[in-house]
Amino acid sequence: PIRFRSPLVAPPQPAATPVTEGLKTLLADSYALMAQTHVAHWNVEGPAFFQLHTAFQAQYEELFTAIDDIAERMRALDVLATGGMKALAGFSGISELEISPLPAKDIVAHLNEAHEHLVSNAQSAKKAAEEGGDLETQDLIIGRIRTHEKTLWMLKSYLKNL
């Protein structure tokens, strides 16, 4: 007889590795940061509104593409990519932006902190990929770190002398 697997029963997953755990955290942090940047885009006010609104849009759009790249790398390693807001939030250490009128500098400071958190976790994931001899994952993560460090430079430059 032919046996069919129920579509609701997931196939067994390969054992988690430091590399795949690092990617899972990077995916969750990136998703959280994308959402927080989108909230900032919607709610920023003040004299720098147009510049920040435009910058935040470019940032969350870039993050959306990066999230797909991270998830696809996980799939290339034969690991299912974490999904769903609740699951992703459980793996991310990025706090949510308060939804209330905030000065633009507070919004930028929040995003700055979130990028710093992400870079720290990405450094750990990069080290795991290096130690695991996974050059492709290491390359992906190095690119992410470079992008977040550039964004940090811009956010910190905005915050100077405020």
Side-chain angles (χ1 to χ4, degrees):
I2 298 175
R3 291 186 153 173
F4 293 99
R5 247 188 225 194
S6 166
L8 300 176
V9 177
Q13 280 283 292
T17 67
V19 172
T20 60
E21 288 300 301
L23 284 170
K24 182 166 56 173
T25 301
L26 183 59
L27 178 67
D29 283 344
S30 297
Y31 208 93
L33 180 55
M34 179 193 66
Q36 292 306 293
T37 306
H38 211 164
V39 169
H41 167 78
W42 291 329
N43 294 318
V44 69
E45 296 179 335
F49 167 78
F50 288 107
Q51 295 90 343
L52 291 174
H53 184 76
T54 300
F56 294 155
Q57 181 173 352
Q59 290 168 12
Y60 76 71
E61 287 174 350
E62 189 281 331
L63 279 160
F64 186 82
T65 300
I67 288 163
D68 196 52
D69 290 342
I70 296 163
E72 288 177 354
R73 181 67 194 146
M74 292 176 74
R75 295 301 298 138
L77 295 173
D78 200 28
V79 175
L80 294 176
T82 305
M85 300 301 286
K86 186 176 179 181
L88 288 165
F91 293 114
S92 176
I94 292 178
S95 62
E96 290 193 1
L97 185 61
E98 184 180 327
I99 306 298
S100 66
L102 292 173
K105 70 177 178 61
D106 291 350
I107 292 173
V108 172
H110 172 82
L111 293 176
N112 184 75
E113 184 179 302
H115 279 276
E116 286 176 343
H117 172 87
L118 193 148
V119 167
S120 176
N121 282 344
Q123 292 285 5
S124 297
K126 180 178 74 80
K127 183 176 181 187
E130 181 181 357
E131 290 171 356
D134 185 342
L135 296 177
E136 294 77 14
T137 299
Q138 191 178 0
D139 182 60
L140 171 72
I141 295 170
I142 288 169
R144 296 309 313 144
I145 291 170
R146 186 173 37 252
T147 297
H148 291 287
E149 286 179 342
K150 182 176 180 179
T151 303
L152 278 164
W153 157 59
M154 292 177 186
L155 295 173
K156 287 176 182 177
S157 293
Y158 172 83
L159 291 170
K160 284 186 178 177
N161 303 317
L162 286 182

